[in-house]
mmCIF file of all heavy atoms in Angstrom:
data_model
loop_
_atom_site.group_PDB
_atom_site.id
_atom_site.type_symbol
_atom_site.label_atom_id
_atom_site.label_comp_id
_atom_site.label_asym_id
_atom_site.label_seq_id
_atom_site.Cartn_x
_atom_site.Cartn_y
_atom_site.Cartn_z
ATOM 1 N N GLN A 1 -14.401 15.766 -8.242
ATOM 2 C CA GLN A 1 -14.695 15.655 -6.822
ATOM 3 C C GLN A 1 -16.204 15.739 -6.593
ATOM 4 O O GLN A 1 -16.818 16.752 -6.936
ATOM 5 C CB GLN A 1 -13.997 16.762 -6.036
ATOM 6 C CG GLN A 1 -14.082 16.625 -4.527
ATOM 7 C CD GLN A 1 -13.109 17.474 -3.780
ATOM 8 O OE1 GLN A 1 -12.617 18.483 -4.315
ATOM 9 N NE2 GLN A 1 -12.794 17.111 -2.555
ATOM 10 N N ALA A 2 -16.762 14.657 -6.094
ATOM 11 C CA ALA A 2 -18.184 14.617 -5.753
ATOM 12 C C ALA A 2 -18.403 15.108 -4.341
ATOM 13 O O ALA A 2 -17.479 15.091 -3.505
ATOM 14 C CB ALA A 2 -18.691 13.182 -5.910
ATOM 15 N N PRO A 3 -19.624 15.570 -4.006
ATOM 16 C CA PRO A 3 -19.883 16.050 -2.643
ATOM 17 C C PRO A 3 -19.550 14.979 -1.581
ATOM 18 O O PRO A 3 -19.964 13.815 -1.695
ATOM 19 C CB PRO A 3 -21.386 16.324 -2.670
ATOM 20 C CG PRO A 3 -21.672 16.615 -4.111
ATOM 21 C CD PRO A 3 -20.782 15.705 -4.891
ATOM 22 N N GLY A 4 -18.787 15.388 -0.589
ATOM 23 C CA GLY A 4 -18.425 14.495 0.507
ATOM 24 C C GLY A 4 -17.343 13.502 0.203
ATOM 25 O O GLY A 4 -17.002 12.670 1.041
ATOM 26 N N LYS A 5 -16.725 13.577 -1.000
ATOM 27 C CA LYS A 5 -15.710 12.623 -1.396
ATOM 28 C C LYS A 5 -14.400 13.342 -1.702
ATOM 29 O O LYS A 5 -14.366 14.565 -1.912
ATOM 30 C CB LYS A 5 -16.159 11.797 -2.602
ATOM 31 C CG LYS A 5 -17.336 10.876 -2.332
ATOM 32 C CD LYS A 5 -17.642 9.982 -3.523
ATOM 33 C CE LYS A 5 -18.746 9.006 -3.221
ATOM 34 N NZ LYS A 5 -18.999 8.111 -4.378
ATOM 35 N N GLU A 6 -13.316 12.559 -1.747
ATOM 36 C CA GLU A 6 -12.022 13.138 -2.092
ATOM 37 C C GLU A 6 -11.882 13.321 -3.599
ATOM 38 O O GLU A 6 -12.567 12.650 -4.371
ATOM 39 C CB GLU A 6 -10.886 12.246 -1.564
ATOM 40 C CG GLU A 6 -10.841 12.136 -0.065
ATOM 41 C CD GLU A 6 -9.661 11.273 0.395
ATOM 42 O OE1 GLU A 6 -8.979 10.659 -0.425
ATOM 43 O OE2 GLU A 6 -9.416 11.293 1.647
ATOM 44 N N ARG A 7 -11.009 14.223 -3.978
ATOM 45 C CA ARG A 7 -10.746 14.448 -5.400
ATOM 46 C C ARG A 7 -10.108 13.193 -6.011
ATOM 47 O O ARG A 7 -9.198 12.594 -5.415
ATOM 48 C CB ARG A 7 -9.832 15.639 -5.580
ATOM 49 C CG ARG A 7 -9.669 16.096 -7.019
ATOM 50 C CD ARG A 7 -9.003 17.486 -7.077
ATOM 51 N NE ARG A 7 -9.802 18.475 -6.382
ATOM 52 C CZ ARG A 7 -9.495 19.788 -6.373
ATOM 53 N NH1 ARG A 7 -8.425 20.225 -7.022
ATOM 54 N NH2 ARG A 7 -10.271 20.602 -5.701
ATOM 55 N N GLU A 8 -10.600 12.760 -7.172
ATOM 56 C CA GLU A 8 -10.091 11.546 -7.801
ATOM 57 C C GLU A 8 -9.667 11.791 -9.256
ATOM 58 O O GLU A 8 -10.232 12.634 -9.936
ATOM 59 C CB GLU A 8 -11.120 10.424 -7.750
ATOM 60 C CG GLU A 8 -12.362 10.680 -8.584
ATOM 61 C CD GLU A 8 -13.285 9.473 -8.622
ATOM 62 O OE1 GLU A 8 -12.961 8.424 -8.044
ATOM 63 O OE2 GLU A 8 -14.374 9.575 -9.268
ATOM 64 N N PHE A 9 -8.691 11.027 -9.670
ATOM 65 C CA PHE A 9 -8.165 11.092 -11.012
ATOM 66 C C PHE A 9 -9.175 10.538 -12.017
ATOM 67 O O PHE A 9 -9.870 9.575 -11.745
ATOM 68 C CB PHE A 9 -6.851 10.296 -11.109
ATOM 69 C CG PHE A 9 -6.375 10.062 -12.508
ATOM 70 C CD1 PHE A 9 -5.788 11.093 -13.225
ATOM 71 C CD2 PHE A 9 -6.494 8.825 -13.111
ATOM 72 C CE1 PHE A 9 -5.353 10.897 -14.517
ATOM 73 C CE2 PHE A 9 -6.048 8.608 -14.375
ATOM 74 C CZ PHE A 9 -5.470 9.648 -15.087
ATOM 75 N N VAL A 10 -9.246 11.169 -13.204
ATOM 76 C CA VAL A 10 -10.157 10.728 -14.246
ATOM 77 C C VAL A 10 -9.366 10.330 -15.508
ATOM 78 O O VAL A 10 -9.510 9.182 -15.975
ATOM 79 C CB VAL A 10 -11.197 11.805 -14.635
ATOM 80 C CG1 VAL A 10 -12.073 11.356 -15.783
ATOM 81 C CG2 VAL A 10 -12.055 12.155 -13.422
ATOM 82 N N ALA A 11 -8.594 11.234 -16.045
ATOM 83 C CA ALA A 11 -7.862 10.975 -17.295
ATOM 84 C C ALA A 11 -6.699 11.918 -17.432
ATOM 85 O O ALA A 11 -6.697 13.018 -16.835
ATOM 86 C CB ALA A 11 -8.802 11.122 -18.513
ATOM 87 N N ALA A 12 -5.677 11.500 -18.192
ATOM 88 C CA ALA A 12 -4.502 12.355 -18.369
ATOM 89 C C ALA A 12 -3.901 12.057 -19.766
ATOM 90 O O ALA A 12 -4.038 10.974 -20.315
ATOM 91 C CB ALA A 12 -3.432 12.101 -17.302
ATOM 92 N N ILE A 13 -3.209 13.074 -20.265
ATOM 93 C CA ILE A 13 -2.412 12.946 -21.482
ATOM 94 C C ILE A 13 -1.043 13.490 -21.137
ATOM 95 O O ILE A 13 -0.881 14.618 -20.753
ATOM 96 C CB ILE A 13 -3.045 13.634 -22.683
ATOM 97 C CG1 ILE A 13 -2.208 13.473 -23.939
ATOM 98 C CG2 ILE A 13 -3.335 15.133 -22.402
ATOM 99 C CD1 ILE A 13 -2.934 13.799 -25.210
ATOM 100 N N ARG A 14 -0.025 12.621 -21.242
ATOM 101 C CA ARG A 14 1.326 12.946 -20.780
ATOM 102 C C ARG A 14 2.062 13.862 -21.742
ATOM 103 O O ARG A 14 1.797 13.882 -22.940
ATOM 104 C CB ARG A 14 2.117 11.676 -20.545
ATOM 105 C CG ARG A 14 1.617 10.892 -19.347
ATOM 106 C CD ARG A 14 2.583 9.772 -18.950
ATOM 107 N NE ARG A 14 2.219 9.209 -17.668
ATOM 108 C CZ ARG A 14 2.887 8.241 -17.077
ATOM 109 N NH1 ARG A 14 3.979 7.709 -17.664
ATOM 110 N NH2 ARG A 14 2.504 7.780 -15.907
ATOM 111 N N ARG A 15 2.997 14.636 -21.173
ATOM 112 C CA ARG A 15 3.795 15.554 -21.983
ATOM 113 C C ARG A 15 4.757 14.786 -22.903
ATOM 114 O O ARG A 15 5.120 13.636 -22.609
ATOM 115 C CB ARG A 15 4.601 16.490 -21.081
ATOM 116 C CG ARG A 15 5.667 15.791 -20.222
ATOM 117 C CD ARG A 15 6.187 16.718 -19.128
ATOM 118 N NE ARG A 15 7.251 16.106 -18.378
ATOM 119 C CZ ARG A 15 8.548 16.398 -18.491
ATOM 120 N NH1 ARG A 15 8.928 17.338 -19.325
ATOM 121 N NH2 ARG A 15 9.438 15.780 -17.737
ATOM 122 N N ILE A 16 5.071 15.362 -24.001
ATOM 123 C CA ILE A 16 6.022 14.851 -25.004
ATOM 124 C C ILE A 16 5.504 13.604 -25.719
ATOM 125 O O ILE A 16 5.352 13.604 -26.928
ATOM 126 C CB ILE A 16 7.421 14.581 -24.376
ATOM 127 C CG1 ILE A 16 7.908 15.761 -23.585
ATOM 128 C CG2 ILE A 16 8.423 14.188 -25.498
ATOM 129 C CD1 ILE A 16 8.017 17.038 -24.383
ATOM 130 N N SER A 17 5.242 12.522 -24.970
ATOM 131 C CA SER A 17 4.815 11.263 -25.571
ATOM 132 C C SER A 17 3.338 11.278 -25.972
ATOM 133 O O SER A 17 2.939 10.508 -26.842
ATOM 134 C CB SER A 17 5.066 10.103 -24.614
ATOM 135 O OG SER A 17 4.144 10.126 -23.532
ATOM 136 N N ASN A 18 2.557 12.103 -25.318
ATOM 137 C CA ASN A 18 1.095 12.152 -25.531
ATOM 138 C C ASN A 18 0.391 10.843 -25.171
ATOM 139 O O ASN A 18 -0.725 10.577 -25.623
ATOM 140 C CB ASN A 18 0.755 12.550 -26.974
ATOM 141 C CG ASN A 18 1.164 13.974 -27.282
ATOM 142 O OD1 ASN A 18 0.911 14.884 -26.484
ATOM 143 N ND2 ASN A 18 1.726 14.185 -28.445
ATOM 144 N N GLU A 19 1.059 10.051 -24.350
ATOM 145 C CA GLU A 19 0.422 8.813 -23.843
ATOM 146 C C GLU A 19 -0.808 9.176 -22.997
ATOM 147 O O GLU A 19 -0.769 10.120 -22.203
ATOM 148 C CB GLU A 19 1.424 8.038 -22.996
ATOM 149 C CG GLU A 19 0.897 6.680 -22.529
ATOM 150 C CD GLU A 19 0.945 5.637 -23.584
ATOM 151 O OE1 GLU A 19 1.697 5.802 -24.586
ATOM 152 O OE2 GLU A 19 0.250 4.610 -23.456
ATOM 153 N N VAL A 20 -1.892 8.447 -23.186
ATOM 154 C CA VAL A 20 -3.127 8.706 -22.425
ATOM 155 C C VAL A 20 -3.283 7.678 -21.324
ATOM 156 O O VAL A 20 -2.933 6.516 -21.500
ATOM 157 C CB VAL A 20 -4.353 8.743 -23.337
ATOM 158 C CG1 VAL A 20 -4.230 9.891 -24.339
ATOM 159 C CG2 VAL A 20 -4.523 7.433 -24.054
ATOM 160 N N VAL A 21 -3.831 8.137 -20.191
ATOM 161 C CA VAL A 21 -4.064 7.249 -19.058
ATOM 162 C C VAL A 21 -5.481 7.536 -18.561
ATOM 163 O O VAL A 21 -5.879 8.678 -18.420
ATOM 164 C CB VAL A 21 -3.063 7.501 -17.932
ATOM 165 C CG1 VAL A 21 -3.278 6.532 -16.757
ATOM 166 C CG2 VAL A 21 -1.604 7.396 -18.449
ATOM 167 N N TYR A 22 -6.230 6.465 -18.238
ATOM 168 C CA TYR A 22 -7.615 6.604 -17.767
ATOM 169 C C TYR A 22 -7.817 5.861 -16.456
ATOM 170 O O TYR A 22 -7.247 4.775 -16.256
ATOM 171 C CB TYR A 22 -8.596 6.072 -18.787
ATOM 172 C CG TYR A 22 -8.631 6.851 -20.091
ATOM 173 C CD1 TYR A 22 -8.013 6.358 -21.212
ATOM 174 C CD2 TYR A 22 -9.340 8.067 -20.154
ATOM 175 C CE1 TYR A 22 -8.062 7.066 -22.407
ATOM 176 C CE2 TYR A 22 -9.382 8.750 -21.349
ATOM 177 C CZ TYR A 22 -8.743 8.275 -22.456
ATOM 178 O OH TYR A 22 -8.791 8.971 -23.648
ATOM 179 N N ALA A 23 -8.623 6.441 -15.599
ATOM 180 C CA ALA A 23 -9.140 5.693 -14.464
ATOM 181 C C ALA A 23 -10.103 4.647 -14.944
ATOM 182 O O ALA A 23 -10.691 4.756 -16.036
ATOM 183 C CB ALA A 23 -9.815 6.621 -13.473
ATOM 184 N N ASN A 24 -10.314 3.573 -14.159
ATOM 185 C CA ASN A 24 -11.249 2.541 -14.530
ATOM 186 C C ASN A 24 -12.651 3.087 -14.743
ATOM 187 O O ASN A 24 -13.371 2.613 -15.626
ATOM 188 C CB ASN A 24 -11.270 1.445 -13.482
ATOM 189 C CG ASN A 24 -10.011 0.568 -13.494
ATOM 190 O OD1 ASN A 24 -9.368 0.428 -14.513
ATOM 191 N ND2 ASN A 24 -9.699 0.003 -12.333
ATOM 192 N N SER A 25 -13.053 4.085 -14.016
ATOM 193 C CA SER A 25 -14.370 4.663 -14.117
ATOM 194 C C SER A 25 -14.549 5.401 -15.452
ATOM 195 O O SER A 25 -15.692 5.584 -15.890
ATOM 196 C CB SER A 25 -14.630 5.615 -12.946
ATOM 197 O OG SER A 25 -13.680 6.680 -12.955
ATOM 198 N N ALA A 26 -13.465 5.809 -16.071
ATOM 199 C CA ALA A 26 -13.486 6.573 -17.332
ATOM 200 C C ALA A 26 -13.215 5.747 -18.551
ATOM 201 O O ALA A 26 -13.591 6.135 -19.670
ATOM 202 C CB ALA A 26 -12.524 7.747 -17.271
#
């Protein structure tokens, strides 16, 4: 979350499968 902006997704690693997901910015 940057100043004055909404919280945004960056990256995740899912449970069990360990699949990774990234935002375009990351």
Side-chain angles (χ1 to χ4, degrees):
Q1 188 165 22
K5 295 187 176 181
E6 296 183 351
R7 190 168 299 185
E8 67 174 358
F9 169 74
V10 177
I13 181 164
R14 290 190 169 182
R15 66 194 184 105
I16 310 301
S17 73
N18 292 317
E19 185 78 20
V20 297
V21 183
Y22 294 102
N24 287 334
S25 60

